[in-house]
Amino acid sequence: MRQATMVEPGRILFRDDVEVPAPGDDEILLRVSQIGVCGSDIHVNHGKHPFTSYPVIQGHEFSAEIVAVGANVDATKFPVGRLATALPQVFCGECDPCRRGDFNICDALKVRGFQAPGVAQDYVTFPQDMVIPLPETMSAEIGAFIEPLAVAVHSVSRAGPVSGKNILVTGAGTIGNLIAQVAQAKGGNVLVSDVSDYRLEKVRECGIANVVNPRTGDVAEAVETVFGPSRFDVAFEVAGVESALDTAVQLVAKGGTIVAVAVYGDRPKVDMAVLGDREIILKGTLMYKHEDYLGAIDLIQKETVRLSPLVSVRFAFDEYMRAYEYIDQNPEKTMKAMIVL
């Protein structure tokens, strides 16, 4: 089978002589269909991911066909030929977070595509507990969106119920866009800010009416216009820059919640005086759990999120490196690049 390994930043080694793995008793063999390239993958390509060493087989957001199942796997739940996806976490199951069900923040967490081999290969095995069969009507391309959509579902859940709440999303990349869509689907009144008019247009295309560009407009004025004097109850900070985080802190309603979603390249300063004085709740969020994958599938089935507008470009598997080159050359106008096997 074919396999793509990033041997060093900016260089992928392709092989076509790798043996197809056999599934263990509790495993499922998958034939990979499509892979989405995410921001963390780009950091690995640039040598900027702090928790990834080389060589590494990338890929963690994907769809695949079930090809074979192990002896202990119920084939009626995982029928051969069904499209599926899988959670990419590898966790210990023994630490305190794992024992309370929070395997997404396992003390020894590894993620396929970063600290463990990913799915950039024709076939891959996963433990049956991590595989999620997809509805028969779902396409391979939409199936590859389940992982980033699950990130959004989990992020929104960290804020508690959002129905009827005023919500600011700072950052309109793929994850910010999806968080805005999920929050709106769950009954929130959403405003999105971003410095890119292109990304804001994609937000509108996905059904979010209220947007503001801080370079050409005033976020505080937009907040007043959209939400009134009560401002917003919840902010999702997805831009990963100090100025966006500070905007959320300064403008959120007293007693409001800020969920820090982004990965920050530089450690941001937080106005702790304002945070304390206004009893603002600052929360983190990391990845997802099984229920978030199921929640993502449910939103797609109900047609309350729009994913197709986010696909910017598609490349064949042997053009993997071209995908990174395209993203580097078109950073402002690339939402999601897809690798088609």
Side-chain angles (χ1 to χ4, degrees):
M1 70 172 183
R2 299 172 300 168
Q3 184 182 83
T5 303
M6 183 159 284
V7 293
E8 62 184 14
R11 189 164 76 90
I12 292 177
L13 174 66
F14 289 92
R15 295 180 57 188
D16 60 6
D17 59 349
V18 180
E19 186 175 349
V20 176
D25 288 347
D26 296 299
E27 291 184 328
I28 294 173
L29 177 64
L30 302 171
R31 179 164 51 225
V32 179
S33 301
Q34 287 199 206
I35 303 169
V37 178
C38 86
S40 296
D41 296 324
I42 297 166
H43 290 320
V44 174
N45 180 56
H46 292 159
K48 299 286 182 66
H49 196 287
F51 306 116
T52 300
S53 57
Y54 306 83
V56 61
I57 300 170
Q58 289 190 285
H60 64 285
E61 49 184 72
F62 74 107
S63 62
E65 179 186 346
I66 298 173
V67 175
V69 300
N72 297 334
V73 179
D74 185 347
T76 63
K77 294 181 179 179
F78 301 97
V80 170
R82 174 69 65 85
L83 198 68
T85 189
L87 285 74
Q89 296 108 317
V90 180
F91 53 91
C92 73
E94 299 175 356
C95 66
D96 287 343
C98 280
R99 284 201 297 267
R100 66 174 185 253
D102 296 330
F103 65 85
N104 60 310
I105 51 173
C106 168
D107 286 344
L109 180 67
K110 295 181 179 180
V111 180
R112 292 179 185 242
F114 301 96
Q115 302 85 30
V119 302
Q121 46 196 329
D122 285 317
Y123 296 88
V124 64
T125 58
F126 273 82
Q128 62 172 320
D129 292 344
M130 304 303 281
V131 177
I132 309 286
L134 299 177
E136 293 184 32
T137 56
M138 187 173 291
S139 69
E141 184 158 278
I142 296 302
F145 266 106
I146 299 298
E147 192 272 352
L149 184 55
V151 170
V153 171
H154 186 74
S155 298
V156 172
S157 75
R158 294 287 292 151
V162 297
S163 180
K165 299 285 183 68
N166 293 332
I167 296 166
L168 174 69
V169 179
T170 55
T174 301
I175 298 300
N177 182 301
L178 293 174
I179 286 174
Q181 290 196 61
V182 171
Q184 181 168 277
K186 292 182 178 295
N189 183 25
V190 180
L191 168 67
V192 180
S193 74
D194 196 278
V195 296
S196 166
D197 287 332
Y198 176 81
R199 289 194 289 266
L200 292 178
E201 184 55 39
K202 284 295 178 181
V203 168
R204 291 193 189 95
E205 193 176 342
C206 290
I208 311 294
N210 300 315
V211 301
V212 58
N213 186 330
R215 288 179 175 168
T216 56
D218 187 283
V219 177
E221 289 182 3
V223 167
E224 178 80 17
T225 299
V226 175
F227 302 134
S230 59
R231 299 192 284 192
F232 51 89
D233 310 287
V234 178
F236 295 95
E237 205 306 276
V238 203
V241 293
E242 183 179 307
S243 59
L245 178 59
D246 189 62
T247 294
V249 171
Q250 300 300 329
L251 296 180
V252 69
K254 289 187 175 183
T257 298
I258 300 170
V259 181
V261 183
V263 176
Y264 292 84
D266 297 311
R267 183 178 297 180
K269 293 179 182 178
V270 178
D271 192 335
M272 295 303 296
V274 171
L275 201 77
D277 183 69
R278 300 177 185 174
E279 291 195 345
I280 297 167
I281 301 165
L282 179 60
K283 287 186 173 184
T285 182
L286 182 68
M287 300 189 75
Y288 31 66
K289 303 178 189 179
H290 289 83
E291 58 262 34
D292 302 310
Y293 266 58
L294 298 177
I297 293 170
D298 184 60
L299 288 169
I300 294 170
Q301 290 292 92
K302 291 178 178 177
E303 298 183 348
T304 52
V305 293
R306 303 177 190 176
L307 303 176
S308 295
L310 301 181
V311 179
S312 304
V313 65
R314 300 169 183 86
F315 289 94
F317 183 70
D318 59 4
E319 298 177 311
Y320 219 119
M321 202 62 231
R322 280 191 59 203
Y324 285 120
E325 292 167 358
Y326 179 91
I327 293 168
D328 286 345
Q329 292 164 6
N330 303 275
E332 291 296 317
K333 295 192 174 182
T334 303
M335 298 293 290
K336 179 62 63 180
M338 287 288 186
I339 307 296
V340 182
L341 281 74

